[in-house]
Every structure is written in C-alpha cells, then in structure tokens.
Amino acid sequence: MTYPRVLCLGEILFDYLADRSGFTLEQVESWTRYPGGAPANVACALVKLGIPAGFIGAVGGDELGDSLVKVLQEVGVDTTGVQRHSTAPTRQVYVLRNEMGDRSFVGFGECSTVEFADTHLLAAQIPDILFENAEFLVLGTLELAYPDSREAIKRAIELAEIHNIKIIADINWRPVFWPNPDEAKPQIKELLKKVDFLKLSDEEAEWLFATTDAGAITYRLDSPEGVFVTAGDRGCSYCISENEGKIPAFRVDVEDTTGAGDGFVAGLVSQLCKVGIKSLSDAETTKKVVTYASAVGAMTAMKPGAISAQPTASEVEAFLYLYENH
C-alpha cells in the first residue's frame, strides 16, 4: 500500500456556482454544482501533480456524500480518513461570481452553517496510521468554527508533532462559515503557533496582522519556516528562511477563481516534497518553488470549478516552458 505523503484535513462540499456572472442572488436563475472545499481541492491537486495525498473530513450518509467520496477516489486521493455522518447532510455552499471571476459566498441553502456533516469530524476516528508515513499536514481554518472539528484539528496537530510532520495552514477566511465571526481571529492565531508554513491572501494578512509584508508576518509569528501572501493579479510575496521576494502574477484569462488559492498551496507542497525543505535556503530554488505554485494557481483559475480545473504536472511544466520562452 502506498501511504499518502500529504494529509489534507477539513471541509469537503459542493460549490453551487451561479451560471451567470455579475448577477445578484435574486437575479440568478440556475446553478451548476462543482465538488470543492479547500483541503479536498488541495488533496486532489496534489495527486494530479504526482504527490500521493489523503483527505481527512466528514460527509453525510447521503447522495452528495457518496458523490464527493467518489470524486476523491477517481482522482486517486486516499479516503481512509473520510468519516460518514448518519444524519447531518453533506455541505453545500452557494457562490456568486462578478465579471472578473471573483467569488462571494452567499449561504448554504436551507441549512445553517452548523448543521452540516463536516462540523462533526471526530478526533477519535482520525486514523493514526496515516500520520506514521506522512510528511506534510495541510489545514484550513474553517473547521475551527465548530467544537467537534476543532478538536479533530487539535488531534491532527498532536499526531503531526509526534511524527515530525510539517504543518501548512491556509487561512481561507470565510465569515459565512462562522456562527460567531468574532471568535475567528483568536482561534486562528492560536492555531498559527503550531504552523510551519503559512499561506494567506493579502486581505487576510491585513485582517490578521495589519500588514501584507510576508517578512513582517514571519517576524511577528516567530515560528514559521515560510509565509506566502497571495494577491491575485498582483502576484505573491514570500519569506522563507532568509529569502524574501515577490513573484508577479501570470497573465491568464480568468474564468473562475474558485480553488486558485488551493492550487497555489498544492503547487507549493508538491515542490516542497520534490526539492526538500533544506533546499529553501537557496534563494533561486525558493523563487522557482513559489513560481511553480503561482503557475498552478493561475492555471486553476482558467476554467470553472476547482477540482475539474486543476492541471497535471506535465501541463504545469508546459505552461512554465511557454512563459519562460515567450
């Protein structure tokens, strides 16, 4: 059996994307559903990039849950860590897009955010064996909003520390997921004390740290090995070891930004798996790692949906080759 090198823990869901961009909620006439959820997106993207990955999360015992597990398995993601809840439904989230392809989350249909299966991810049911062979644990912060899944995150961090697994966090701030959004900041800041690598958008950086400077955030946290601040079409800044820099955004035709940040995370982790963390002391290697991550994010934004839009390793290499030789 091939054990996953990367474990991704958190939500898996269906994004219901408005079929027409630039419309208000009241104006939307039809929606198309796409499998998503940031940690699930990362796991799928990693497998497509050639890195064995596993997903840990909870779905309902319903048709939607069956569909999502099938998506993971068809991509090749290890689903040993998927839990099924007998009564709570699989999460659905409705998403509007503006003319630029940028998203806004507008709710969960007829359910409240606390009613879905992912909120009931249980610490006691997380398979310890997955952590014995993994190298990285990828976490979002949405599941900190609910008591059961918050305990599951704590348990996963404990297992990661026991087995010397590097922890990567993507803030992925979505107020609509939090029953009380005021609780988010202290919960997230507590989590960041345990994190080795941190990825956040420029808006999230401003919200959490009142700065978008990756070096300043690294200094303030006093623990991470790397901080990455993504800013959409304005590129990405980073601070790894002593290396600080900025990568301009790739110019692509944006169809839908869903999953672009998750693509970045997957691209980053895939490169950390390939080159090794020690090689990040070299400034040129670091720049290549971040450039690769940015390319995966950009390519994911070129098609609708998150998982279906993700590129393979050979597609990323071809994309980068064209850019470098244009």
Side-chain angles (χ1 to χ4, degrees), residues 166-189:
K166 296 291 184 183
I167 299 171
I168 297 164
D170 180 1
I171 297 300
N172 202 28
W173 166 235
R174 306 276 184 264
V176 69
F177 279 76
W178 289 76
N180 181 358
D182 292 340
E183 293 178 357
K185 200 176 283 189
Q187 295 274 7
I188 291 170
K189 289 198 169 179

Side-chain angles (χ1 to χ4, degrees), residues 215-239:
I217 293 168
T218 305
Y219 179 78
R220 199 168 303 176
L221 288 174
D222 195 35
S223 61
E225 297 178 36
V227 170
F228 309 85
V229 180
T230 56
D233 60 5
R234 297 187 305 284
C236 168
S237 62
Y238 62 89
C239 178

Side-chain angles (χ1 to χ4, degrees), residues 188-199:
I188 291 170
K189 289 198 169 179
E190 197 59 34
L191 172 72
L192 295 186
K193 294 175 183 177
K194 305 285 189 180
V195 163
D196 298 293
F197 293 91
L198 172 63
K199 181 262 175 194

Side-chain angles (χ1 to χ4, degrees), residues 47-125:
V47 172
K48 293 182 184 184
L49 295 172
I51 304 297
F55 175 73
I56 299 170
V59 295
D62 49 19
E63 181 270 327
L64 292 179
D66 294 340
S67 298
L68 289 173
V69 173
K70 188 178 178 187
V71 167
L72 293 175
Q73 291 173 341
E74 286 177 347
V75 170
V77 174
D78 186 302
T79 56
T80 310
V82 176
Q83 300 174 19
R84 304 296 296 258
H85 196 279
S86 58
T87 56
T90 300
R91 187 181 289 274
Q92 309 164 54
V93 58
Y94 287 81
V95 185
L96 298 179
R97 289 179 288 170
N98 66 16
E99 301 289 4
M100 306 295 292
D102 291 325
R103 302 161 301 151
S104 58
F105 293 82
V106 291
F108 305 101
E110 295 175 4
C111 295
S112 84
T113 189
V114 299
E115 293 177 39
F116 294 103
D118 63 285
T119 70
H120 299 295
L121 180 66
L122 299 177
Q125 292 182 23

Side-chain angles (χ1 to χ4, degrees), residues 8-290:
C8 304
L9 183 150
E11 69 281 0
I12 185 169
L13 49 80
F14 272 108
D15 285 314
Y16 282 73
L17 260 63
D19 287 329
R20 299 279 297 272
S21 56
F23 278 30
T24 66
L25 179 60
E26 293 73 27
Q27 292 172 317
V28 176
E29 295 176 353
S30 60
W31 309 78
T32 300
R33 79 180 196 191
Y34 294 93
N41 292 343
V42 174
C44 289
L46 280 164
V47 172
K48 293 182 184 184
L49 295 172
I51 304 297
F55 175 73
I56 299 170
V59 295
D62 49 19
E63 181 270 327
L64 292 179
D66 294 340
S67 298
L68 289 173
V69 173
K70 188 178 178 187
V71 167
L72 293 175
Q73 291 173 341
E74 286 177 347
V75 170
V77 174
D78 186 302
T79 56
T80 310
V82 176
Q83 300 174 19
R84 304 296 296 258
H85 196 279
S86 58
T87 56
T90 300
R91 187 181 289 274
Q92 309 164 54
V93 58
Y94 287 81
V95 185
L96 298 179
R97 289 179 288 170
N98 66 16
E99 301 289 4
M100 306 295 292
D102 291 325
R103 302 161 301 151
S104 58
F105 293 82
V106 291
F108 305 101
E110 295 175 4
C111 295
S112 84
T113 189
V114 299
E115 293 177 39
F116 294 103
D118 63 285
T119 70
H120 299 295
L121 180 66
L122 299 177
Q125 292 182 23
I126 293 176
D128 293 17
I129 193 168
L130 288 175
F131 289 77
E132 293 173 13
N133 299 278
E135 297 166 43
F136 295 94
L137 170 66
V138 178
L139 298 170
T141 65
L142 297 184
E143 298 302 299
L144 290 172
Y146 319 103
D148 285 348
S149 51
R150 190 183 311 139
E151 288 304 310
I153 288 174
K154 286 181 185 172
R155 177 60 182 154
I157 290 171
E158 285 172 9
L159 288 166
E161 290 176 339
I162 290 167
H163 296 289
N164 296 313
I165 295 169
K166 296 291 184 183
I167 299 171
I168 297 164
D170 180 1
I171 297 300
N172 202 28
W173 166 235
R174 306 276 184 264
V176 69
F177 279 76
W178 289 76
N180 181 358
D182 292 340
E183 293 178 357
K185 200 176 283 189
Q187 295 274 7
I188 291 170
K189 289 198 169 179
E190 197 59 34
L191 172 72
L192 295 186
K193 294 175 183 177
K194 305 285 189 180
V195 163
D196 298 293
F197 293 91
L198 172 63
K199 181 262 175 194
L200 65 175
S201 70
D202 52 348
E203 294 102 331
E204 290 163 348
E206 198 65 59
W207 174 65
L208 270 177
F209 300 105
T211 179
T212 58
D213 186 299
I217 293 168
T218 305
Y219 179 78
R220 199 168 303 176
L221 288 174
D222 195 35
S223 61
E225 297 178 36
V227 170
F228 309 85
V229 180
T230 56
D233 60 5
R234 297 187 305 284
C236 168
S237 62
Y238 62 89
C239 178
I240 307 176
S241 301
E242 300 298 312
N243 299 317
E244 286 190 58
K246 189 165 173 39
I247 301 289
F250 289 96
R251 298 289 166 217
V252 297
D253 292 327
V254 174
E255 173 74 20
D256 172 25
T257 57
T258 305
D262 308 325
F264 179 96
V265 173
L268 171 67
V269 178
S270 74
Q271 292 305 290
L272 294 181
C273 285
K274 286 174 180 170
V275 305
I277 289 172
K278 287 181 181 174
S279 66
L280 296 178
S281 58
D282 176 68
E284 200 54 41
T285 300
T286 297
K287 187 176 179 183
K288 283 183 179 175
V289 165
V290 182

